[in-house]
Amino acid sequence: QVQLVESGGGLVQAGGSLRLSCAASERTFNTDWMAWFRQAPGKERAFVAAISRLGWSTHYADSVKGRFTISRDNAKSTVFLQMNGLKPEDTAVYYCAAGTTSTPTMSAAYKSWGQGTQVTVSS
């Protein structure tokens, strides 16, 4: 099972940017899909973005399209989430997930999860 470690969260003002990273424990970064989900207080975990193994296919939640960009560096076994134009409603714990699935936007499709990193956007 792939172990995932997120980093890069923090406190930022509205309109600012953050870059999240997720490092996998295995040398071979061969999971078909890597994704980011987030969970705000009192809400269910929600899909943010996903990227296929070679980076040819990506998916984004409507709420982040045009502001967030997901990418991956397979040589470094790392996936990134560049977040620009942050809004207070982006405040949440962000989780990295890895798996082989035909439904990459569904949290139930992923078996490997990181511990999460907090992102707080102040108004």
Side-chain angles (χ1 to χ4, degrees):
Q1 187 172 1
V2 176
Q3 292 184 342
L4 306 170
V5 179
E6 303 97 335
S7 61
L11 173 64
V12 64
Q13 289 187 335
S17 298
L18 283 174
R19 189 191 196 205
L20 305 184
S21 298
C22 172
S25 62
E26 297 181 349
R27 284 183 175 273
T28 303
F29 198 54
N30 275 334
T31 53
D32 283 350
W33 287 94
M34 295 295 298
W36 290 95
F37 289 78
R38 66 187 182 186
Q39 189 166 17
K43 294 187 178 181
E44 294 186 353
R45 192 169 297 187
F47 170 74
V48 176
I51 187 168
S52 61
R53 183 168 65 88
L54 297 181
W56 293 345
S57 181
T58 57
H59 298 279
Y60 293 95
D62 288 343
S63 59
V64 306
K65 281 182 181 177
R67 299 189 297 124
F68 291 11
T69 302
I70 189 170
S71 61
R72 63 191 292 171
D73 184 339
N74 287 352
K76 297 182 179 180
S77 300
T78 302
V79 64
F80 305 97
L81 185 68
Q82 178 66 43
M83 305 186 294
N84 299 327
L86 283 162
K87 304 176 181 180
E89 51 263 44
D90 293 319
T91 295
V93 176
Y94 283 70
Y95 296 90
C96 179
T100 299
T101 176
S102 59
T103 55
T105 65
M106 305 295 291
S107 61
Y110 293 88
K111 294 183 178 181
S112 299
W113 292 85
Q115 293 301 306
T117 185
Q118 176 71 47
V119 171
T120 302
V121 184
S122 63
S123 58

